Amino acid sequence: MSKTVAFHTLGCKLNFSETSSLSRTLEAEGFVKTDFEEVADVYVINTCSVTENADKECRQIVRKIQRKAPESLVVITGCYAQLKPQEIASIEGVDLVLGAAEKFNLAHHLKELSKGNSAKVCSCDIEDVNGFNASYSVADRTRTFLKVQDGCDYNCSFCTIPLARGHSRSDSIANVIENVKVLADAGTKEIVLTGINLGDFGKGNTGGKKKEETFFDLIQELDATEGIDRYRISSIEPNLLSEEIISFVAESKRFMPHFHIPLQSGSNQILGLMRRRYQRELYTERVQQIKALMPHCCIGVDVIVGFPGETDELFEETFQFLHNLDVSYFHVFTYSERNNTLAADMKDVVPQHIRNERNKRLRNLSYQKMRYFTEQHTGQKRAVLFEHVNKNGIMEGYSDNYIRVQAAHTPELENQIVEWAI
């Protein structure tokens, strides 16, 4: 009888695409995928470790599995597994910890795994991580997340990602195109290009420093490939978002007028402490370039509040900078200390309650920004891709410029792009 496997994903879009690929690999090996709430023979948790909450959530999930299915195998992979393998191995109920280098060998490890008294830890030396494994989500959502790049060569003072995912490395354009054709044949209408540092696309898949191809090369090739109607760029650093990329997207029929550009702080002083590779003036330039060519473009922003040294005055600098900037929404992160980062040892720590207050203020501003952006387009007809999900008779979709639209559930509109009044 076939064994059942259930997956749970914490964290970013990249993790979702990797979980989906792991699932397909195990199904090809004869496993039957089941819902995570059901009793399964194997549970796989793909973790994140960007915040402290992700670590706690992982522990809670394992405890829940222990109560529900104490004899089931529990496998932990992902960034938390790479960064703190021994800590995870000590959690009661965990049987296997797979680092980044072994994640995609999951099927092989499961063949040799049995329930034991201690967890087996496999390959968690980040120097072992040098190959590139393409992955994508399919049939899970209307929009498919396609991983084309992994790892990061930047060393921002708050970030553990280089420790968790290794050097920057990429797929080849030729292989990306092959995956796109598979997705097109499966009926995919929209692909979101994902990576850890997407604009750094082109470094060889062995973690080499040499640029073989560029992100601009990639989007030109994708634009010329038939089969997929829409592409989005998930997130791109402002210093890597070139004028030629902006101009290309403005002219493209397939790349949507939607950018997500990490800022992290509107204060140059804090950006310096964060070891970011730009100052706020460059960020302003990029936003102005986008809006000059695409006034209707949606621009999302990542911002961190409560970084060490962020005084009330410096936070106000960020608040006013974002208030005056022509952007559409923010993803707001409350700074949390991470081991083995420069920021963890910095002085002038911001009290937790102040971090939380600042988060709330920026989230409120983000809500106002998105409402204003939506109101600017009210009454306009825009191309909306409706999703499969039926929520109590309501279906949702996103316009080309990322405005969420709701309508009465109509089966024939599912996974279709239609002109729709906002």
Side-chain angles (χ1 to χ4, degrees):
M1 188 175 164
S2 297
K3 285 189 173 181
T4 54
V5 62
F7 290 87
H8 188 77
T9 308
L10 302 170
C12 64
K13 292 170 182 173
L14 200 64
N15 270 11
F16 278 97
S17 74
E18 290 181 343
T19 299
S20 194
S21 288
L22 289 173
S23 171
R24 287 194 300 278
T25 301
L26 289 192
E27 287 177 81
E29 292 282 340
F31 284 82
V32 176
K33 185 180 175 183
T34 188
D35 191 86
F36 200 78
E37 298 307 312
E38 303 294 322
V39 172
D41 296 310
V42 181
Y43 292 91
V44 180
I45 306 170
N46 192 5
T47 62
C48 165
S49 197
V50 171
T51 68
E52 204 65 57
N53 286 344
D55 298 3
K56 288 176 188 165
E57 197 173 349
C58 177
R59 290 173 172 277
Q60 289 167 354
I61 292 165
V62 173
R63 281 199 292 269
K64 190 175 171 184
I65 294 169
Q66 279 292 94
R67 289 194 297 271
K68 177 173 61 180
E71 296 306 310
S72 298
L73 293 171
V74 177
V75 180
I76 313 289
T77 187
C79 291
Y80 182 26
Q82 178 63 45
L83 289 171
K84 298 183 178 178
Q86 299 306 328
E87 187 176 296
I88 296 173
S90 69
I91 300 172
E92 188 181 348
V94 171
D95 300 289
L96 177 64
V97 182
L98 291 182
E102 289 295 322
K103 182 190 301 183
F104 290 93
N105 292 329
L106 174 61
H108 166 75
H109 288 292
L110 284 178
K111 286 174 186 171
E112 302 174 351
L113 190 65
S114 58
K115 197 75 183 169
N117 296 323
S118 61
K120 182 180 175 188
V121 177
C122 293
S123 189
C124 288
D125 184 343
I126 198 60
E127 295 308 316
D128 293 342
V129 183
N130 53 24
F132 181 86
N133 293 91
S135 58
Y136 52 81
S137 58
V138 66
D140 301 344
R141 301 161 178 242
T142 298
R143 279 173 293 142
T144 291
F145 297 107
L146 173 61
K147 172 183 153 189
V148 299
Q149 185 275 339
D150 202 348
C152 188
D153 292 337
Y154 289 7
N155 287 294
C156 299
S157 62
F158 55 83
C159 188
T160 56
I161 295 296
L163 299 172
R165 284 188 172 266
H167 286 300
S168 177
R169 56 205 188 276
S170 312
D171 208 345
S172 66
I173 290 176
N175 200 52
V176 173
I177 298 296
E178 286 306 307
N179 283 330
V180 162
K181 288 175 179 173
V182 170
L183 291 167
D185 289 344
T188 302
K189 292 286 195 297
E190 180 176 302
I191 290 176
V192 184
L193 300 176
T194 64
I196 293 298
N197 190 352
L198 195 55
D200 201 32
F201 175 91
K203 288 184 178 166
N205 64 9
T206 56
K209 297 288 180 190
K210 184 170 168 284
K211 278 267 188 184
E212 296 173 355
E213 299 168 321
T214 68
F215 185 67
F216 187 54
D217 295 334
L218 173 66
I219 63 174
Q220 287 178 293
E221 289 283 342
L222 290 173
D223 204 61
T225 303
E226 296 293 325
I228 299 294
D229 294 322
R230 292 161 56 138
Y231 290 97
R232 292 188 196 275
I233 299 167
S234 65
S235 180
I236 185 165
E237 294 282 308
N239 52 302
L240 296 175
L241 178 55
S242 63
E243 288 184 44
E244 63 181 359
I245 292 173
I246 294 169
S247 299
F248 184 81
V249 170
E251 297 292 324
S252 170
K253 293 276 193 292
R254 300 184 200 273
F255 277 84
M256 297 297 98
H258 174 209
F259 288 97
H260 193 93
I261 316 168
L263 169 67
Q264 310 309 10
S265 176
S267 158
N268 282 341
Q269 187 175 329
I270 296 296
L271 287 173
L273 290 171
M274 288 178 165
R275 293 195 158 191
R276 301 292 286 161
R277 297 194 175 198
Y278 54 87
Q279 293 192 315
R280 58 187 255 164
E281 289 76 13
L282 176 82
Y283 199 95
T284 302
E285 270 179 41
R286 293 294 182 262
V287 171
Q288 289 172 344
Q289 288 160 0
I290 291 166
K291 286 295 186 174
L293 294 174
M294 295 169 275
H296 56 288
C297 185
C298 182
I299 303 176
V301 183
D302 285 341
V303 60
I304 295 170
V305 295
F307 191 80
E310 186 185 64
T311 61
D312 289 343
E313 292 76 19
L314 293 179
F315 172 71
E316 286 303 325
E317 213 178 302
T318 291
F319 186 91
Q320 293 304 324
F321 180 73
L322 287 167
H323 186 275
N324 297 328
L325 204 60
D326 193 3
V327 292
S328 315
Y329 66 91
F330 321 141
H331 287 167
V332 186
F333 299 90
T334 302
Y335 172 74
S336 63
E337 287 77 3
R338 314 305 290 148
N339 292 338
N340 302 314
T341 61
L342 288 170
D345 299 321
M346 288 182 180
K347 298 189 170 35
D348 301 322
V349 171
V350 178
Q352 192 64 46
H353 72 279
I354 293 177
R355 300 184 205 185
N356 295 341
E357 285 168 16
R358 290 175 183 173
N359 182 303
K360 192 173 179 182
R361 279 190 66 195
L362 280 185
R363 280 190 291 115
N364 286 339
L365 180 60
S366 174
Y367 173 77
Q368 291 166 17
K369 286 266 188 187
M370 194 64 204
R371 191 171 67 177
Y372 174 70
F373 179 73
T374 303
E375 285 170 356
Q376 285 180 300
H377 297 86
T378 302
Q380 286 185 15
K381 280 200 165 183
R382 302 212 68 93
V384 172
L385 173 59
F386 281 104
E387 299 177 357
H388 287 295
V389 183
N390 177 0
K391 297 177 184 173
N392 302 318
I394 300 292
M395 67 193 305
E396 290 184 343
Y398 283 91
S399 67
D400 57 344
N401 60 343
Y402 209 60
I403 293 171
R404 190 166 69 176
V405 172
Q406 291 187 321
H409 181 249
T410 311
E412 52 268 30
L413 292 183
E414 288 181 1
N415 204 28
Q416 298 300 315
I417 299 169
V418 292
E419 289 294 317
W420 198 266
I422 302 297

